[in-house]
Amino acid sequence: PNKDVLLKDYEIKVNYLKDHLGRMWTRFNIFLTLQTGLAGAKIIYEKDKAQEVDERLLYLALLLAVIWCIVGIIDSSLVRNYRGQVELVFNKLKEALKDTTFKDIPFTGEVEKTKMNVIERMLRTLFSPTKLIFTVPLVLIVIIIVFLRNI
Protein backbone atom coordinates (compact mmCIF):
# COMPACT_ATOMS: atom_id res chain seq x y z
CA PRO A 1 0.00 0.00 0.00
CA ASN A 2 0.96 3.60 -0.62
CA LYS A 3 2.71 5.23 2.39
CA ASP A 4 0.70 8.44 2.02
CA VAL A 5 -2.56 6.49 2.02
CA LEU A 6 -1.50 4.56 5.13
CA LEU A 7 -0.43 7.76 6.89
CA LYS A 8 -3.78 9.41 6.11
CA ASP A 9 -5.65 6.27 7.22
CA TYR A 10 -3.66 6.24 10.48
CA GLU A 11 -4.48 9.91 11.08
CA ILE A 12 -8.19 9.32 10.41
CA LYS A 13 -8.33 6.30 12.72
CA VAL A 14 -6.47 8.10 15.54
CA ASN A 15 -8.85 11.07 15.26
CA TYR A 16 -11.86 8.76 15.27
CA LEU A 17 -10.56 7.00 18.40
CA LYS A 18 -9.93 10.36 20.09
CA ASP A 19 -13.37 11.65 19.12
CA HIS A 20 -15.05 8.45 20.30
CA LEU A 21 -13.36 8.76 23.70
CA GLY A 22 -14.74 12.30 23.94
CA ARG A 23 -18.24 11.14 23.03
CA MET A 24 -17.94 8.29 25.51
CA TRP A 25 -17.11 10.62 28.41
CA THR A 26 -19.87 13.03 27.38
CA ARG A 27 -22.37 10.17 27.63
CA PHE A 28 -20.85 9.12 30.97
CA ASN A 29 -21.34 12.66 32.31
CA ILE A 30 -24.94 12.78 31.06
CA PHE A 31 -25.80 9.48 32.76
CA LEU A 32 -24.01 10.58 35.94
CA THR A 33 -25.97 13.85 35.97
CA LEU A 34 -29.29 12.04 35.47
CA GLN A 35 -28.51 9.54 38.23
CA THR A 36 -27.47 12.37 40.57
CA GLY A 37 -30.78 14.12 39.84
CA LEU A 38 -32.72 10.95 40.61
CA ALA A 39 -30.76 10.49 43.85
CA GLY A 40 -31.58 14.09 44.81
CA ALA A 41 -35.27 13.54 44.03
CA LYS A 42 -35.25 10.38 46.14
CA ILE A 43 -33.81 12.30 49.09
CA ILE A 44 -36.42 15.07 48.72
CA TYR A 45 -39.36 12.66 48.44
CA GLU A 46 -38.03 10.52 51.28
CA LYS A 47 -38.69 13.44 53.63
CA ASP A 48 -42.36 13.27 52.64
CA LYS A 49 -42.37 9.49 53.20
CA ALA A 50 -44.02 9.00 49.83
CA GLN A 51 -43.09 5.34 49.38
CA GLU A 52 -44.82 5.03 46.00
CA VAL A 53 -42.76 7.88 44.56
CA ASP A 54 -39.64 6.58 46.27
CA GLU A 55 -40.07 3.12 44.74
CA ARG A 56 -40.80 4.50 41.26
CA LEU A 57 -37.69 6.66 41.42
CA LEU A 58 -35.60 3.62 42.32
CA TYR A 59 -37.03 1.60 39.42
CA LEU A 60 -36.36 4.51 37.08
CA ALA A 61 -32.80 4.79 38.42
CA LEU A 62 -32.36 1.03 37.95
CA LEU A 63 -33.58 1.19 34.35
CA LEU A 64 -31.28 4.14 33.65
CA ALA A 65 -28.32 2.33 35.26
CA VAL A 66 -28.94 -0.78 33.13
CA ILE A 67 -29.06 1.34 29.96
CA TRP A 68 -25.91 3.17 31.11
CA CYS A 69 -24.14 -0.14 31.71
CA ILE A 70 -25.09 -1.48 28.26
CA VAL A 71 -23.96 1.73 26.55
CA GLY A 72 -20.71 1.59 28.54
CA ILE A 73 -20.02 -2.00 27.51
CA ILE A 74 -20.62 -1.12 23.86
CA ASP A 75 -18.39 1.96 24.14
CA SER A 76 -15.64 -0.06 25.77
CA SER A 77 -15.71 -2.70 23.04
CA LEU A 78 -15.67 0.00 20.35
CA VAL A 79 -12.58 1.57 21.92
CA ARG A 80 -10.82 -1.82 21.88
CA ASN A 81 -11.85 -2.26 18.24
CA TYR A 82 -10.65 1.23 17.23
CA ARG A 83 -7.34 0.74 19.08
CA GLY A 84 -6.89 -2.54 17.19
CA GLN A 85 -7.49 -0.75 13.88
CA VAL A 86 -5.00 1.98 14.81
CA GLU A 87 -2.41 -0.68 15.72
CA LEU A 88 -3.00 -2.57 12.47
CA VAL A 89 -2.51 0.52 10.28
CA PHE A 90 0.49 1.61 12.35
CA ASN A 91 2.17 -1.76 11.82
CA LYS A 92 1.44 -1.62 8.08
CA LEU A 93 2.85 1.91 8.00
CA LYS A 94 6.02 0.79 9.84
CA GLU A 95 6.40 -2.04 7.34
CA ALA A 96 5.85 0.24 4.34
CA LEU A 97 8.35 2.84 5.56
CA LYS A 98 11.01 0.23 6.36
CA ASP A 99 12.49 2.66 8.86
CA THR A 100 14.20 1.14 11.90
CA THR A 101 13.43 4.18 14.07
CA PHE A 102 9.79 3.03 14.21
CA LYS A 103 10.57 -0.22 16.02
CA ASP A 104 10.61 1.44 19.46
CA ILE A 105 7.73 3.85 18.88
CA PRO A 106 4.34 2.71 20.24
CA PHE A 107 1.19 3.35 18.23
CA THR A 108 -1.28 5.96 19.45
CA GLY A 109 -3.45 4.44 22.18
CA GLU A 110 -0.97 1.70 23.09
CA VAL A 111 -0.43 1.17 26.80
CA GLU A 112 3.14 0.17 27.51
CA LYS A 113 2.68 -1.98 30.61
CA THR A 114 6.34 -2.98 30.65
CA LYS A 115 7.25 0.60 31.66
CA MET A 116 4.82 0.57 34.62
CA ASN A 117 5.57 -0.67 38.11
CA VAL A 118 3.30 -3.25 39.78
CA ILE A 119 1.07 -0.67 41.49
CA GLU A 120 0.63 1.33 38.28
CA ARG A 121 -0.32 -1.83 36.36
CA MET A 122 -2.79 -2.84 39.09
CA LEU A 123 -4.41 0.61 39.21
CA ARG A 124 -4.51 0.77 35.42
CA THR A 125 -6.24 -2.61 35.34
CA LEU A 126 -8.76 -1.76 38.07
CA PHE A 127 -9.48 1.84 37.10
CA SER A 128 -9.06 1.87 33.36
CA PRO A 129 -11.37 4.51 31.84
CA THR A 130 -12.72 1.93 29.42
CA LYS A 131 -13.68 -0.27 32.40
CA LEU A 132 -15.01 2.52 34.61
CA ILE A 133 -17.45 3.44 31.87
CA PHE A 134 -19.46 0.28 32.66
CA THR A 135 -18.33 -0.67 36.19
CA VAL A 136 -19.70 2.54 37.74
CA PRO A 137 -23.26 1.82 36.54
CA LEU A 138 -22.81 -1.86 37.45
CA VAL A 139 -22.02 -0.90 41.06
CA LEU A 140 -24.97 1.49 40.97
CA ILE A 141 -27.27 -1.35 39.85
CA VAL A 142 -26.21 -3.42 42.86
CA ILE A 143 -26.80 -0.47 45.22
CA ILE A 144 -30.25 0.23 43.77
CA ILE A 145 -31.24 -3.45 44.05
CA VAL A 146 -30.19 -3.39 47.71
CA PHE A 147 -32.36 -0.30 48.27
CA LEU A 148 -35.30 -1.94 46.49
CA ARG A 149 -35.04 -5.07 48.64
CA ASN A 150 -35.21 -2.91 51.78
CA ILE A 151 -38.42 -1.12 50.80
Side-chain angles (χ1 to χ4, degrees):
N2 184 326
K3 291 177 241 186
D4 293 331
V5 172
L6 286 171
L7 189 57
K8 186 66 180 172
D9 191 35
Y10 182 71
E11 182 182 313
I12 289 168
K13 284 180 169 53
V14 166
N15 283 330
Y16 201 83
L17 173 61
K18 177 184 65 83
D19 292 345
H20 181 75
L21 289 167
R23 290 187 299 271
M24 183 174 81
W25 284 110
T26 299
R27 281 190 289 276
F28 182 87
N29 287 329
I30 289 168
F31 279 115
L32 188 61
T33 301
L34 290 172
Q35 287 290 3
T36 303
L38 286 172
K42 182 189 176 319
I43 291 168
I44 290 168
Y45 284 118
E46 199 168 90
K47 289 179 182 176
D48 297 334
K49 301 290 183 202
Q51 186 173 344
E52 252 182 54
V53 173
D54 188 43
E55 197 172 332
R56 283 184 287 194
L57 283 173
L58 283 172
Y59 280 114
L60 182 59
L62 181 63
L63 175 64
L64 187 62
V66 168
I67 293 169
W68 183 6
C69 191
I70 291 168
V71 169
I73 290 168
I74 292 168
D75 273 340
S76 183
S77 70
L78 285 172
V79 167
R80 281 192 308 277
N81 182 36
Y82 298 151
R83 279 187 181 146
Q85 290 178 14
V86 167
E87 181 181 16
L88 180 70
V89 173
F90 182 75
N91 289 333
K92 285 184 180 185
L93 186 60
K94 277 195 316 190
E95 191 178 297
L97 291 173
K98 296 183 188 339
D99 190 341
T100 56
T101 57
F102 273 96
K103 71 179 177 120
D104 295 329
I105 298 175
F107 67 91
T108 302
E110 180 179 9
V111 178
E112 294 183 89
K113 291 184 179 176
T114 56
K115 293 183 179 178
M116 295 181 192
N117 64 39
V118 175
I119 294 173
E120 287 173 322
R121 277 196 303 270
M122 183 182 73
L123 290 174
R124 176 86 174 136
T125 301
L126 292 173
F127 299 106
S128 163
T130 54
K131 288 187 180 129
L132 282 176
I133 207 81
F134 65 85
T135 54
V136 169
L138 199 57
V139 168
L140 193 56
I141 289 169
V142 171
I143 292 169
I144 294 168
I145 289 172
V146 168
F147 271 109
L148 282 168
R149 294 184 119 217
N150 291 327
I151 288 183

